[in-house]
mmCIF file of all heavy atoms in Angstrom:
data_model
loop_
_atom_site.group_PDB
_atom_site.id
_atom_site.type_symbol
_atom_site.label_atom_id
_atom_site.label_comp_id
_atom_site.label_asym_id
_atom_site.label_seq_id
_atom_site.Cartn_x
_atom_site.Cartn_y
_atom_site.Cartn_z
ATOM 1 N N ASN A 182 137.737 104.369 124.142
ATOM 2 C CA ASN A 182 138.645 104.146 125.262
ATOM 3 C C ASN A 182 139.554 102.991 124.878
ATOM 4 O O ASN A 182 139.086 101.992 124.310
ATOM 5 C CB ASN A 182 137.871 103.811 126.539
ATOM 6 C CG ASN A 182 138.765 103.813 127.766
ATOM 7 O OD1 ASN A 182 139.601 102.937 127.946
ATOM 8 N ND2 ASN A 182 138.598 104.815 128.623
ATOM 9 N N PRO A 183 140.860 103.076 125.172
ATOM 10 C CA PRO A 183 141.793 102.005 124.775
ATOM 11 C C PRO A 183 141.437 100.627 125.320
ATOM 12 O O PRO A 183 141.930 99.618 124.802
ATOM 13 C CB PRO A 183 143.136 102.488 125.338
ATOM 14 C CG PRO A 183 143.003 103.964 125.405
ATOM 15 C CD PRO A 183 141.565 104.224 125.768
ATOM 16 N N CYS A 184 140.580 100.558 126.327
ATOM 17 C CA CYS A 184 140.213 99.249 126.880
ATOM 18 C C CYS A 184 139.296 98.468 125.935
ATOM 19 O O CYS A 184 139.090 97.276 126.120
ATOM 20 C CB CYS A 184 139.541 99.396 128.245
ATOM 21 S SG CYS A 184 137.896 100.128 128.212
ATOM 22 N N PHE A 185 138.745 99.143 124.911
ATOM 23 C CA PHE A 185 137.824 98.481 123.990
ATOM 24 C C PHE A 185 138.554 98.098 122.701
ATOM 25 O O PHE A 185 138.867 98.939 121.863
ATOM 26 C CB PHE A 185 136.641 99.390 123.653
ATOM 27 C CG PHE A 185 135.723 99.637 124.810
ATOM 28 C CD1 PHE A 185 135.542 100.917 125.305
ATOM 29 C CD2 PHE A 185 135.034 98.593 125.411
ATOM 30 C CE1 PHE A 185 134.687 101.158 126.361
ATOM 31 C CE2 PHE A 185 134.190 98.819 126.475
ATOM 32 C CZ PHE A 185 134.010 100.095 126.959
ATOM 33 N N SER A 186 138.819 96.804 122.572
ATOM 34 C CA SER A 186 139.462 96.270 121.372
ATOM 35 C C SER A 186 138.664 95.053 120.914
ATOM 36 O O SER A 186 138.413 94.136 121.712
ATOM 37 C CB SER A 186 140.914 95.884 121.666
ATOM 38 O OG SER A 186 141.518 95.313 120.535
ATOM 39 N N PHE A 187 138.256 95.036 119.654
ATOM 40 C CA PHE A 187 137.380 93.972 119.175
ATOM 41 C C PHE A 187 137.939 93.331 117.912
ATOM 42 O O PHE A 187 138.614 93.989 117.113
ATOM 43 C CB PHE A 187 135.990 94.533 118.845
ATOM 44 C CG PHE A 187 135.379 95.340 119.940
ATOM 45 C CD1 PHE A 187 135.060 96.672 119.744
ATOM 46 C CD2 PHE A 187 135.120 94.779 121.184
ATOM 47 C CE1 PHE A 187 134.492 97.431 120.744
ATOM 48 C CE2 PHE A 187 134.561 95.526 122.201
ATOM 49 C CZ PHE A 187 134.248 96.854 121.977
ATOM 50 N N PRO A 188 137.601 92.066 117.696
ATOM 51 C CA PRO A 188 137.926 91.444 116.411
ATOM 52 C C PRO A 188 136.980 91.975 115.340
ATOM 53 O O PRO A 188 136.011 92.693 115.643
ATOM 54 C CB PRO A 188 137.680 89.956 116.681
ATOM 55 C CG PRO A 188 136.614 89.944 117.731
ATOM 56 C CD PRO A 188 136.888 91.137 118.601
ATOM 57 N N SER A 189 137.245 91.632 114.109
ATOM 58 C CA SER A 189 136.312 91.982 113.045
ATOM 59 C C SER A 189 134.995 91.255 113.291
ATOM 60 O O SER A 189 134.939 90.228 113.983
ATOM 61 C CB SER A 189 136.873 91.572 111.687
ATOM 62 O OG SER A 189 136.909 90.154 111.568
ATOM 63 N N ARG A 190 133.923 91.777 112.712
ATOM 64 C CA ARG A 190 132.630 91.114 112.882
ATOM 65 C C ARG A 190 132.631 89.727 112.244
ATOM 66 O O ARG A 190 131.955 88.816 112.731
ATOM 67 C CB ARG A 190 131.511 91.988 112.314
ATOM 68 C CG ARG A 190 131.058 93.054 113.290
ATOM 69 C CD ARG A 190 129.993 93.951 112.737
ATOM 70 N NE ARG A 190 130.521 94.906 111.771
ATOM 71 C CZ ARG A 190 129.847 95.946 111.318
ATOM 72 N NH1 ARG A 190 128.603 96.161 111.713
ATOM 73 N NH2 ARG A 190 130.393 96.785 110.458
ATOM 74 N N LYS A 191 133.390 89.570 111.175
ATOM 75 C CA LYS A 191 133.483 88.246 110.545
ATOM 76 C C LYS A 191 134.096 87.241 111.509
ATOM 77 O O LYS A 191 133.593 86.114 111.660
ATOM 78 C CB LYS A 191 134.323 88.336 109.276
ATOM 79 C CG LYS A 191 134.458 87.024 108.522
ATOM 80 C CD LYS A 191 135.264 87.203 107.246
ATOM 81 C CE LYS A 191 135.421 85.870 106.511
ATOM 82 N NZ LYS A 191 136.213 86.033 105.257
ATOM 83 N N ASP A 192 135.188 87.628 112.180
ATOM 84 C CA ASP A 192 135.840 86.723 113.135
ATOM 85 C C ASP A 192 134.956 86.479 114.358
ATOM 86 O O ASP A 192 134.885 85.353 114.874
ATOM 87 C CB ASP A 192 137.183 87.297 113.570
ATOM 88 C CG ASP A 192 138.223 87.268 112.461
ATOM 89 O OD1 ASP A 192 138.005 86.542 111.467
ATOM 90 O OD2 ASP A 192 139.240 87.978 112.577
ATOM 91 N N ALA A 193 134.290 87.525 114.835
ATOM 92 C CA ALA A 193 133.403 87.365 115.994
ATOM 93 C C ALA A 193 132.227 86.450 115.653
ATOM 94 O O ALA A 193 131.803 85.635 116.486
ATOM 95 C CB ALA A 193 132.896 88.723 116.456
#
Side-chain angles (χ1 to χ4, degrees):
N182 190 289
C184 70
F185 292 118
S186 177
F187 309 119
S189 69
R190 277 178 285 192
K191 181 178 179 180
D192 290 344

